Structures are given as structure tokens and as C-alpha cells.
Amino acid sequence: MALLLCAGIAATAAGRARAATPEPSALAFADGRGGVSLDGAWHVIIDPYDNGSLDYRSQPRPHGYFDDARPRDKSDLVEYDFARSPTLQVPGDWNTQRPDLLYYEGTIWYERRFDAALHEGNRAFVQFGAAAQRATVWLNGKRLGDHEGGFTPFAFEVTGIVRARDNSIVVKVDNTRRAEALPALNTDWWNYGGLTRGVRLIETPRTFIRAARVQLAREEPPSLARRVSSREGSGTLPGFPSSVDQQDASLVRGTVRLDGARAPVTVTIEIPDAHARHTVTTDESGQVRFAFVATLAPWSPESPRLYDVVVRAGDDRVTDRIGFRTIRTQGPNILLNGKPIFLRGISMHEEALGRGGRATTRAEAEALLGLAKELGCNFVRLAHYPHGEEMTRAADRLGLLVWSEIPVYWTIAWSNVTTLAAARAQLAEEIARDGNRASVVLWSVGNETPVSDARNRFLRTLVDDVRAADDTRLVTAALEHHAVDARTHLLDDPLGASLDVLGLNEYVGWYDGLPAKCDTLTWRSAYDKPIVVSEFGADAKAGQHGDALTRFSEEYQADVYRRQLAMLKKIPSLRGLSPWILVDFRSPRRPLPGVQDGWNRKGLVSNDGVKKEAFGVLRDAYRTWSPLAPPPLAPPPAAGR
Ligand code: GCU
């Protein structure tokens, strides 16, 4: 039963102040909108010298490949021709499409032509799921803009630029690694380049729904009822389900942001299967916050219930499939829908099983997550950058909780303002894209970053950004630790004070001693907060065998897993694991001939799908996993976190 809470709450001043980070440019609900998919074969020009945009003096060319020119007559000098140039598939990285491009880093120009039959009076945008690592886009010779960051979506408005027939779109993609960029120069994964996710021409009405976040408020019903009636004034919720079992009533909260509004607009949010329908009115600029109570079956790994949610505003209507759940911490516990949960997880990169290269399709996402389900996981750590939307939507459907991360990885330019701006922009784009994904419960602001004042300031800014953009999820980071003595390791990274959940990366038994070291090691934490061991593991070449002390053998890896699991179970505040890693992945840092050959071999499954002995060790452990009983729940706090 849906009860209406007619409180259209106008956007607050505080929210506007925080918009120091530019609003993400991508349109939400893109897939459900009219328009044209631009996926498929694109012509390409490999351009290691940036000849397409720079002249022999390395000065910007007034006329370059972006003109997509054709010789006007036999004497006209044009030294490129996309139409006769080879093609590459979009979406897809370029490195695994042609052997000569495997380790290519630099610029590649993409071009394709298309027709666009759009409705009179409508607006149009070109949207990219991702372009690694940066892109500049032209349509019909007009420069639309740039985007920095290889793992998040972006869009440009092309109303009035796009024409009905024979449009020329040219994209300069450059994956050159830069010290001030994110990721920076050094990573333990391959720097795939290209238009790695889908491209779409999107059509919208003049005024349209640019973004809508529809989630459950963080608190569960009992404290919600007390708080709502206390703060929002009893009587504002006449008939709050005192008679109805409060257990089922949930507070749905959210925001809608219109684009093109010139006056207040009526917005309706509807959840048909829950018989919930709520109407509010935006402010002049088309923004509104809303809250209403509905009876919803909670989303969880055991029952990943998704609801159709329909948002209408003026001529526009969008739908999304959304699960409703709450996630929060209480002392050392993580509570999903108010109940303690242990995150039985695995880490993974976004590489397609078998084929290699960036995973791009629904089937490739499901193949990877299917392996995680087979392991008995209820959680995956998507490392070290936002994976594609196919992945997080598949996690919603399959019932896997998600740790999502931006590539603030190892050592970056902590004091460089453009680096900080890039991190904040990637974070904002990631949260805007996946803000409605029930599966995503943890936003990670970094991985194995060295403690320093500049680093702490940098990461705390990101933590604040997360809290401002999304107060329904938890903030974490993969932290390092140090040895107090030969038998005691301590997690006391100062950033821990700002996080909800502490990620811990440790390689006892691989980089740090031999497997037996696990047997005598004790872990201590400086915080009364949940710990997720976000990485442990060992390399093993599938099919390579030896005794448990032979490096790179399956036996060694399996032994590390057995001893690690026994060691970690003793950590009182351990509330999750995501061992490194589900599948072997490409890394130029791993040359060992006949063993690694350019692959990090810490996978439990080889890149061509062969399960190693340790896969069974973890699967069996998760099957019977009951870590030391978590301490009894403390009474819920008055309000907030
Ligand atoms: C690091 C890092 C991973 C890397 C792993 C390894 O902890 O976070 O990106 O691949 O260790 O060394 O295998």
C-alpha cells in the first residue's frame, strides 16, 4: 500500500554549493531513449605523432582529420581518407582487435557516418559509455568538446548540429599514460585504449529528465517512523502505517533533475508493482527532492528483487529497473536491510573471459559474475576503475553486492589540482551512472595509496564528495598496513577515520613471506569498523603442479588460500573478503616466460577459463563460511550513520 508524502522539497542551497565539480554530462536512462546506436565498425587512423591535429611545428592544425575531408577534385591535396581506412569494432578496445595494436598507446582517430531521422523540435546528444583514456569529439566538423577519464560516460549536445543525412562523427581517442592523469603512469593492468563502451545518438523532448535518483533512505522503518514523526512533524504523515506493519513500510527518497525547464514542472514517480505513485513539483530550474513511503520487498543477494520505476515530467517519461535495500554500518558490522552480513567476495578486472580485452557485452559480464556466483559469492570488488553498466546491472539481476572504485591507484600526483579535479569528476560520473544500482553498496576512493598529508587531503576531499552525492551508501578504500612485529600486523591508516568500511590489501605468503607465515600472524585494527580484506592471493599457472612451496604451482596458491582463510577468520571485525583475483588478467608488469607471459596469474581461473585448485578451496570455504559469530547488535543509534 502506497501512502503519499506530499512534500516536494526544493533543492537546498547546500547541494548547489557542492556542484563545484562539474555536473556529469551523461544522460541517465540513455538506453531507454529514442535515437540511433552508433556501435559497429568505425574507420580508424592510427596516429602516433598526432598528425591529425598538429602540424610539423607541433602547432594545432586549423584543418585536420577532424574535418573528415574528401578531395574536392584531382588536384586537391588531402592526405587521409577515412572511407578507405581500416575499421575497428565499437565498443571494444583496439589492443585486442589487431595483433599490431596489442601494446599500442597513443592516438587513434575514429570516424563513422550516419543518418539521423529525429523528430521536429526535439533535442539530440551523442553519448559515449567510455573512451580510454581521453577523447575529443567533432560532429560535422564542429568541435563538441573533450572528456578525460577512460571508465565513465559522457555526452555532448548536438541539437542544431546533427542533420538528417550523412553526419560525420570523428573522435580522437588517446590512451597515452600521464603522471598527472588517473590512472597515472604505473598500473598492474594493461592500459587498453579505444571506444571501449557503446556510442549512441540520443533524442529527447525540449525539457527532459536528465537524472533521477530513486533509493531507500538509509534508516530502517522503526527508527524511520520515530525520526519522521519527530522531525517532519507528526501529522505531515497522517496515517503513517501505525496500523500497517511498519516492517514493510520503507521511505523512498530521491531527486529529479530536468534539463530545459523554464518554470516549475510536475514530476511523477511511480512504482507500479508496489502500487506507489507520488507527485511533486520542481523549482524553476527543474530540480526537486522527494520522499514517499511504499511497501517494497527488499533487494538482497538471496532475493534480488527489482521493480520497474517510471518517472514522468512534461512530455518525457523514463523507466529504470531498481532494487530497494538499505546498507549501513554499526560498529564492526555491516547491515544490509538492517541485518548483519558477511561479504563473501572476489576481486575482478573488466576483461572478457577467453577473448581477453575489455568486456563489453551483457553476456561477457554475466560470464564473469556467473563464475563469482559459482564460487558462492554474494559480493564482488570491481577493480580498479568503474566497470561498464552491463556489469553493475548484471550484479543487480544476479544478486551480487558491488564495491566500485575510481582509479586512484598506487602513487599519483597528490598535489596537482588537475589530478584532483579529474578524480572528483570521475567519482561524480560514476555515482551519477550507478546511483540507482541496488548492487552497488561501496564507493572506493583509492587503492594502495601511500600515506602522506597531501594524499590524506586528496582522499578526504573525495570522501566528502561521496557523502554529499550519495548518503545511502558506504565509503571505503583499499588500505595498506604495517608490521608492528614479526607476529603482529596493524591497520591504522589515518584515512580509516574518514571511511565507513576499511579495505585491507595484504599478500602474506606471496610478497610477504611464505604461506606458513599466516599461521602465526595476528591482525589488529586501530578502528572499531568493519574490515573487508580487499586483496590477498598468489600467482599460479593453470596446470602447473608441484609441492606447496613451489612458486607458481596450483598447490602453492591453494595452500596460501587455506592458510589465509584460517588466519583472517580470527580478525574480530572481519566482515568481508575479495581475494585477488577471479581470472588471470593482462599486465605488462608480468614477463616471466612460460608462466606469466604478460599475465598476472593470481586468478582462480585462467584467462581461458580453466579453474585452478584454489577455486575449489575458496568455494568450499564459502559454502560453510561462518566466521566467528559477530558480536550482538548494539541498540540502533538515535539517527544518522
Ligand atoms: C596489488 C594491486 C593489484 C595487483 C596486485 C598484484 O595489490 O592492488 O592491482 O594486481 O597487487 O600484485 O597482483
Side-chain angles (χ1 to χ4, degrees), residues 188 384 409 447-448 507 511 535 580 585 590 600 602:
D188 190 29
H384 291 292
Y409 179 90
N447 178 76
E448 292 185 2
Y507 281 90
Y511 298 125
E535 289 187 36
W580 194 259
F585 61 95
R590 310 293 170 173
N600 181 311
K602 291 192 180 67

Side-chain angles (χ1 to χ4, degrees), residues 50-103:
D50 266 347
N51 184 54
S53 41
L54 302 178
D55 66 18
Y56 76 113
R57 296 255 180 264
S58 298
Q59 295 308 307
R61 288 177 182 282
H63 295 290
Y65 297 171
F66 44 82
D67 288 347
D68 195 3
R70 304 256 167 91
R72 284 181 299 264
D73 56 49
K74 66 181 179 186
S75 313
D76 194 12
L77 175 59
V78 179
E79 292 187 281
Y80 68 93
D81 182 353
F82 279 112
R84 285 187 290 148
S85 298
T87 62
L88 287 175
Q89 277 305 311
V90 171
D93 62 273
W94 60 59
N95 309 83
T96 54
Q97 293 192 52
R98 278 176 36 182
D100 60 324
L101 294 177
L102 181 57
Y103 282 129

Side-chain angles (χ1 to χ4, degrees), residues 344-345 371-379 619 622-623:
R344 300 187 310 275
L371 275 176
K373 292 287 278 186
E374 211 184 312
L375 263 176
C377 293
N378 60 6
F379 170 61
R619 183 198 55 221
Y622 279 166
R623 212 172 265 152

Side-chain angles (χ1 to χ4, degrees), residues 98-114:
R98 278 176 36 182
D100 60 324
L101 294 177
L102 181 57
Y103 282 129
Y104 180 75
E105 293 182 293
T107 292
I108 292 188
W109 293 81
Y110 285 74
E111 179 267 9
R112 71 161 289 175
R113 303 227 160 187
F114 64 95

